[in-house]
């Protein structure tokens, strides 16, 4: 089926998921939506975030999307279950795929979670991990509010980033961890630095790959794949400042991003 797939986030973070989707589904057209007028979601209330995400979903529906990926843990934690029954296309999130990936390798009782305040406070990662491991494993979360502004400004390495990572990692100092889930899609852009700071003692989980695989599976099951029909160019939409998005996205994806549209509600 030759229709686009929507990919949404508060800003540039969801591009870490888009990157993986493009690798395994090169025939699909993506409409990325970065809600840059409202980033960071981590400092908003759950009810505000629900309103923002529903507006984006309504817009994506007008674009006739055949599926939507919440490339955003915050939305996956607090909007996904409410949104699914309201739309007639499949919607998938990033939390379950990340937990699945962590459970494949972790031996310690708990996995660490770096995420924003709203996601950590929601407790959704812990709840799902408990459910998916029959109560064997759980999560210890640490809110990292400084990471999103760094990534949004394109700062992904250097002393400031290192200081910030070490500050947040200190929360796990006295805890036996072998796995750390990046529970915000902005953080994979800091993955190299986070891995360096963990000195290979902890395996970092970026849920993006597993999310892309789940999307591919869902397209297949619902017979929604684009089977060789002409693929249209990807489109990037933002709710403010397209120029800033264009330059940061180009830096993060390592290629020139065109086609950035301003959509306001
Ligand atoms: N990248 C999003 C997430 O995965 C949102 C981060 C934010 O805006 O606080 O949670």
């Amino acid at each position: 089926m030759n229709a686009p797939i929507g990919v949404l986030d508060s800003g540039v973070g969801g591009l870490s998921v888009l990157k993986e989707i493009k690798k395994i589904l090169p025939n699909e057209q993506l409409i990325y939506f970065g809600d840059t007028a409202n980033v960071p979601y981590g400092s908003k209330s759950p009810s505000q975030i629900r309103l923002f995400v529903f507006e984006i979903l309504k817009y994506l529906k007008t674009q006739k999307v055949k599926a939507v990926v919440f490339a955003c843990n915050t939305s996956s934690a607090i909007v996904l279950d409410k949104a699914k029954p309201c739309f007639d296309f499949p919607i998938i999130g990033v939390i379950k795929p990340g937990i699945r990936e962590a459970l494949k390798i972790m031996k310690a009782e708990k996995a660490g979670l770096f995420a924003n305040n709203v996601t950590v406070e929601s407790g959704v990662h812990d709840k799902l991990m408990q459910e998916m491991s029959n109560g064997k494993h759980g999560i210890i979360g640490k809110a990292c509010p400084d990471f999103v502004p760094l990534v949004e400004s394109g700062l992904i390495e250097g002393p400031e980033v290192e200081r910030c990572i070490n500050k947040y990692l200190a929360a796990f100092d006295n805890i036996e961890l072998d796995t750390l889930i990046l529970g915000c899609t902005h953080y994979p852009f800091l993955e190299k630095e986070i891995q360096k700071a963990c000195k290979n003692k902890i395996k970092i989980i970026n849920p993006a790959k597993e999310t892309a695989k789940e999307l591919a599976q869902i397209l297949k099951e619902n017979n929604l794949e684009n089977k060789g029909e002409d693929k249209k160019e990807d489109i990037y939409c933002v709710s403010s400042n397209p120029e800033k998005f264009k330059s940061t996205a180009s830096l993060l994806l390592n290629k020139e991003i065109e086609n950035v549209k301003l959509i306001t509600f």
Side-chain angles (χ1 to χ4, degrees), residues 9-10 13-14 39-43 71-74 116 119 148 183-186:
D9 181 44
S10 62
V39 67
Y41 279 0
S43 65
C72 170
N73 289 259
T74 327
N116 68 21
T119 304
V148 167
C184 170
T185 53
H186 282 74

Side-chain angles (χ1 to χ4, degrees), residues 86-102:
C86 302
F87 295 89
D88 56 4
F89 41 77
I91 306 179
I92 70 164
V94 282
I95 298 184
K96 259 194 193 160
I99 304 277
R100 222 170 22 235
E101 189 70 10

Side-chain angles (χ1 to χ4, degrees), residues 8-17 32 35 38-44 49 70-77 94 114-119 125 144-145 148-149 152 182-188:
L8 66 85
D9 181 44
S10 62
V12 292
L15 296 172
S16 63
V17 181
Y32 184 85
D35 191 8
N38 297 307
V39 67
Y41 279 0
S43 65
K44 309 295 184 302
I49 297 164
F70 280 13
C72 170
N73 289 259
T74 327
S75 317
S76 305
V94 282
F114 272 173
N116 68 21
N117 294 292
V118 177
T119 304
H125 284 80
C144 309
V148 167
E152 283 293 322
L182 301 182
C184 170
T185 53
H186 282 74
Y187 304 173

Side-chain angles (χ1 to χ4, degrees), residues 121-187:
E121 273 161 31
S122 77
V124 170
H125 284 80
D126 188 49
K127 186 174 161 270
L128 283 175
M129 183 168 271
Q130 302 258 7
E131 275 171 25
M132 289 162 72
S133 68
N134 292 322
K136 221 174 125 199
H137 295 287
I139 293 281
I140 301 184
K142 172 69 188 157
C144 309
D146 296 343
F147 282 164
V148 167
L150 287 174
V151 176
E152 283 293 322
S153 63
L155 202 59
I156 53 170
E157 57 189 6
E160 197 180 338
V161 171
E162 282 168 30
R163 244 191 331 270
C164 209
I165 292 171
N166 287 323
K167 174 177 80 181
Y168 293 137
L169 272 179
F172 302 129
D173 269 355
N174 300 314
I175 299 163
E176 202 49 48
L177 284 190
D178 54 12
T179 318
L180 174 64
I181 300 175
L182 301 182
C184 170
T185 53
H186 282 74
Y187 304 173

Side-chain angles (χ1 to χ4, degrees), residues 173-243:
D173 269 355
N174 300 314
I175 299 163
E176 202 49 48
L177 284 190
D178 54 12
T179 318
L180 174 64
I181 300 175
L182 301 182
C184 170
T185 53
H186 282 74
Y187 304 173
F189 291 113
L190 307 172
E191 185 172 348
K192 244 200 259 156
E193 296 295 319
I194 298 175
Q195 187 66 75
K196 211 162 74 191
C198 289
K199 300 188 181 71
N200 291 325
K201 284 192 210 129
I202 298 176
K203 171 94 176 98
I204 310 292
I205 305 286
N206 169 8
K209 266 200 188 85
E210 199 61 25
T211 306
K213 276 194 224 156
E214 187 171 318
L215 172 66
Q217 182 66 26
I218 283 178
L219 294 183
K220 200 167 169 198
E221 278 166 17
N222 293 283
N223 206 14
L224 291 171
E225 300 152 295
N226 184 11
K227 299 198 180 91
E229 292 131 287
D230 268 357
K231 188 209 144 189
K232 298 200 194 84
E233 280 301 300
D234 294 338
I235 299 169
Y236 298 85
C237 305
V238 288
S239 49
S240 87
N241 213 338
E243 283 310 313

